[in-house]
Short mmCIF file of all heavy atoms in Angstrom, two decimals:
data_model
loop_
_atom_site.label_atom_id
_atom_site.label_comp_id
_atom_site.label_asym_id
_atom_site.label_seq_id
_atom_site.Cartn_x
_atom_site.Cartn_y
_atom_site.Cartn_z
N MET B 32 149.11 88.08 54.88
CA MET B 32 149.06 88.28 56.33
C MET B 32 149.47 86.97 57.01
O MET B 32 149.24 85.88 56.48
CB MET B 32 147.67 88.74 56.78
CG MET B 32 147.30 90.11 56.23
SD MET B 32 145.79 90.80 56.93
CE MET B 32 146.36 91.31 58.56
N PHE B 33 150.08 87.11 58.18
CA PHE B 33 150.68 85.97 58.86
C PHE B 33 150.34 86.00 60.35
O PHE B 33 150.22 87.07 60.94
CB PHE B 33 152.21 86.02 58.74
CG PHE B 33 152.73 86.25 57.35
CD1 PHE B 33 152.91 87.53 56.86
CD2 PHE B 33 153.06 85.18 56.54
CE1 PHE B 33 153.40 87.76 55.58
CE2 PHE B 33 153.55 85.38 55.26
CZ PHE B 33 153.71 86.67 54.78
N TRP B 34 150.27 84.81 60.93
CA TRP B 34 150.24 84.68 62.37
C TRP B 34 151.43 83.83 62.81
O TRP B 34 151.61 82.71 62.32
CB TRP B 34 148.96 84.02 62.86
CG TRP B 34 147.82 84.96 63.01
CD1 TRP B 34 146.73 85.10 62.21
CD2 TRP B 34 147.65 85.94 64.06
NE1 TRP B 34 145.90 86.08 62.68
CE2 TRP B 34 146.44 86.62 63.80
CE3 TRP B 34 148.40 86.30 65.18
CZ2 TRP B 34 145.96 87.63 64.63
CZ3 TRP B 34 147.94 87.30 66.00
CH2 TRP B 34 146.72 87.96 65.73
N TYR B 35 152.22 84.41 63.72
CA TYR B 35 153.34 83.70 64.31
C TYR B 35 153.10 83.56 65.81
O TYR B 35 152.47 84.39 66.44
CB TYR B 35 154.65 84.48 64.13
CG TYR B 35 155.21 84.48 62.72
CD1 TYR B 35 154.86 85.48 61.81
CD2 TYR B 35 156.11 83.51 62.31
CE1 TYR B 35 155.40 85.50 60.53
CE2 TYR B 35 156.65 83.53 61.03
CZ TYR B 35 156.29 84.53 60.15
OH TYR B 35 156.82 84.54 58.88
N LEU B 45 155.65 79.88 62.55
CA LEU B 45 154.50 80.25 61.74
C LEU B 45 153.32 79.33 62.01
O LEU B 45 153.45 78.10 61.93
CB LEU B 45 154.88 80.20 60.25
CG LEU B 45 153.79 80.61 59.28
CD1 LEU B 45 153.50 82.12 59.40
CD2 LEU B 45 154.22 80.28 57.84
N ILE B 46 152.17 79.93 62.29
CA ILE B 46 150.97 79.15 62.53
C ILE B 46 150.18 79.01 61.22
O ILE B 46 149.89 77.90 60.78
CB ILE B 46 150.09 79.83 63.61
CG1 ILE B 46 150.88 80.06 64.90
CG2 ILE B 46 148.86 78.96 63.91
CD1 ILE B 46 150.13 80.89 65.94
N TYR B 47 149.82 80.12 60.65
CA TYR B 47 149.10 80.16 59.38
C TYR B 47 149.51 81.42 58.63
O TYR B 47 149.90 82.41 59.23
CB TYR B 47 147.58 80.24 59.61
CG TYR B 47 146.86 78.93 59.70
CD1 TYR B 47 146.56 78.38 60.94
CD2 TYR B 47 146.43 78.26 58.55
CE1 TYR B 47 145.87 77.17 61.04
CE2 TYR B 47 145.74 77.07 58.64
CZ TYR B 47 145.46 76.53 59.89
OH TYR B 47 144.78 75.34 59.98
N PHE B 48 149.37 81.37 57.31
CA PHE B 48 149.42 82.61 56.58
C PHE B 48 148.35 82.62 55.48
O PHE B 48 147.84 81.57 55.06
CB PHE B 48 150.82 82.93 56.05
CG PHE B 48 151.22 82.23 54.78
CD1 PHE B 48 151.09 82.86 53.57
CD2 PHE B 48 151.78 80.96 54.82
CE1 PHE B 48 151.51 82.24 52.41
CE2 PHE B 48 152.20 80.33 53.67
CZ PHE B 48 152.06 80.97 52.45
N SER B 49 148.01 83.83 55.06
CA SER B 49 146.97 84.03 54.05
C SER B 49 147.53 84.93 52.97
O SER B 49 148.12 85.96 53.26
CB SER B 49 145.74 84.67 54.69
OG SER B 49 144.84 85.12 53.69
N LYS B 55 144.22 80.53 52.62
CA LYS B 55 145.09 80.30 53.77
C LYS B 55 145.98 79.10 53.51
O LYS B 55 145.64 78.21 52.73
CB LYS B 55 144.26 80.07 55.03
CG LYS B 55 143.40 78.84 54.95
CD LYS B 55 142.51 78.69 56.17
CE LYS B 55 141.63 77.45 56.04
NZ LYS B 55 140.67 77.32 57.17
N GLU B 56 147.10 79.11 54.20
CA GLU B 56 147.99 77.96 54.15
C GLU B 56 148.50 77.67 55.55
O GLU B 56 148.77 78.61 56.31
CB GLU B 56 149.17 78.20 53.21
CG GLU B 56 148.80 78.12 51.75
CD GLU B 56 150.00 77.87 50.85
OE1 GLU B 56 151.04 77.42 51.34
OE2 GLU B 56 149.88 78.16 49.66
N LYS B 57 148.63 76.40 55.86
CA LYS B 57 149.15 76.03 57.18
C LYS B 57 150.64 76.35 57.25
O LYS B 57 151.38 76.21 56.28
CB LYS B 57 148.93 74.54 57.42
CG LYS B 57 147.48 74.14 57.57
CD LYS B 57 147.34 72.66 57.82
CE LYS B 57 145.89 72.27 57.98
NZ LYS B 57 145.72 70.81 58.21
N GLY B 58 151.03 76.75 58.44
CA GLY B 58 152.44 76.95 58.71
C GLY B 58 153.02 75.73 59.40
O GLY B 58 152.60 74.60 59.16
N ASP B 59 153.95 75.98 60.29
CA ASP B 59 154.66 74.89 60.95
C ASP B 59 153.90 74.29 62.13
O ASP B 59 154.09 73.12 62.46
CB ASP B 59 156.02 75.40 61.45
CG ASP B 59 156.88 75.90 60.31
OD1 ASP B 59 156.92 75.25 59.26
OD2 ASP B 59 157.50 76.98 60.46
N PRO B 61 150.12 74.45 62.98
CA PRO B 61 148.71 74.84 62.87
C PRO B 61 147.75 74.12 63.83
O PRO B 61 146.60 74.55 63.98
CB PRO B 61 148.39 74.47 61.42
CG PRO B 61 149.26 73.28 61.17
CD PRO B 61 150.55 73.55 61.93
N GLU B 62 148.24 73.07 64.48
CA GLU B 62 147.33 72.26 65.30
C GLU B 62 146.75 73.07 66.44
O GLU B 62 147.47 73.73 67.18
CB GLU B 62 148.08 71.04 65.85
CG GLU B 62 148.61 70.08 64.81
CD GLU B 62 149.89 70.56 64.14
OE1 GLU B 62 150.55 71.48 64.69
OE2 GLU B 62 150.22 70.03 63.06
N TYR B 64 144.66 75.52 66.03
CA TYR B 64 144.34 76.87 65.56
C TYR B 64 143.58 76.82 64.24
O TYR B 64 143.73 75.88 63.48
CB TYR B 64 145.62 77.68 65.33
CG TYR B 64 146.54 77.80 66.52
CD1 TYR B 64 147.60 76.89 66.67
CD2 TYR B 64 146.37 78.79 67.46
CE1 TYR B 64 148.46 77.00 67.75
CE2 TYR B 64 147.23 78.90 68.54
CZ TYR B 64 148.26 78.00 68.68
OH TYR B 64 149.11 78.11 69.76
N SER B 65 142.81 77.84 63.99
CA SER B 65 142.24 78.07 62.68
C SER B 65 142.31 79.57 62.41
O SER B 65 142.64 80.36 63.31
CB SER B 65 140.80 77.55 62.58
OG SER B 65 139.97 78.25 63.50
N VAL B 66 142.05 79.95 61.17
CA VAL B 66 142.12 81.36 60.81
C VAL B 66 140.94 81.73 59.92
O VAL B 66 140.29 80.87 59.33
CB VAL B 66 143.44 81.71 60.06
CG1 VAL B 66 144.64 81.64 61.00
CG2 VAL B 66 143.63 80.84 58.84
N PHE B 74 142.76 89.73 59.52
CA PHE B 74 143.14 88.32 59.60
C PHE B 74 142.98 87.88 61.04
O PHE B 74 143.63 88.42 61.93
CB PHE B 74 144.58 88.17 59.13
CG PHE B 74 145.04 86.76 58.90
CD1 PHE B 74 144.19 85.78 58.39
CD2 PHE B 74 146.37 86.39 59.14
CE1 PHE B 74 144.63 84.49 58.15
CE2 PHE B 74 146.82 85.10 58.89
CZ PHE B 74 145.95 84.16 58.40
N LEU B 76 142.93 84.97 64.09
CA LEU B 76 143.42 83.68 64.57
C LEU B 76 142.42 83.18 65.61
O LEU B 76 142.05 83.91 66.52
CB LEU B 76 144.81 83.82 65.19
CG LEU B 76 145.44 82.55 65.74
CD1 LEU B 76 145.79 81.59 64.61
CD2 LEU B 76 146.68 82.87 66.57
#
Side-chain angles (χ1 to χ4, degrees):
Chain B
M32 295 189 75
F33 311 88
W34 277 106
Y35 287 91
L45 182 68
I46 305 173
Y47 270 97
F48 80 97
S49 168
K55 63 185 179 184
E56 285 200 19
K57 293 181 179 179
D59 300 317
E62 298 78 17
Y64 304 94
S65 63
V66 290
F74 191 35
L76 180 69

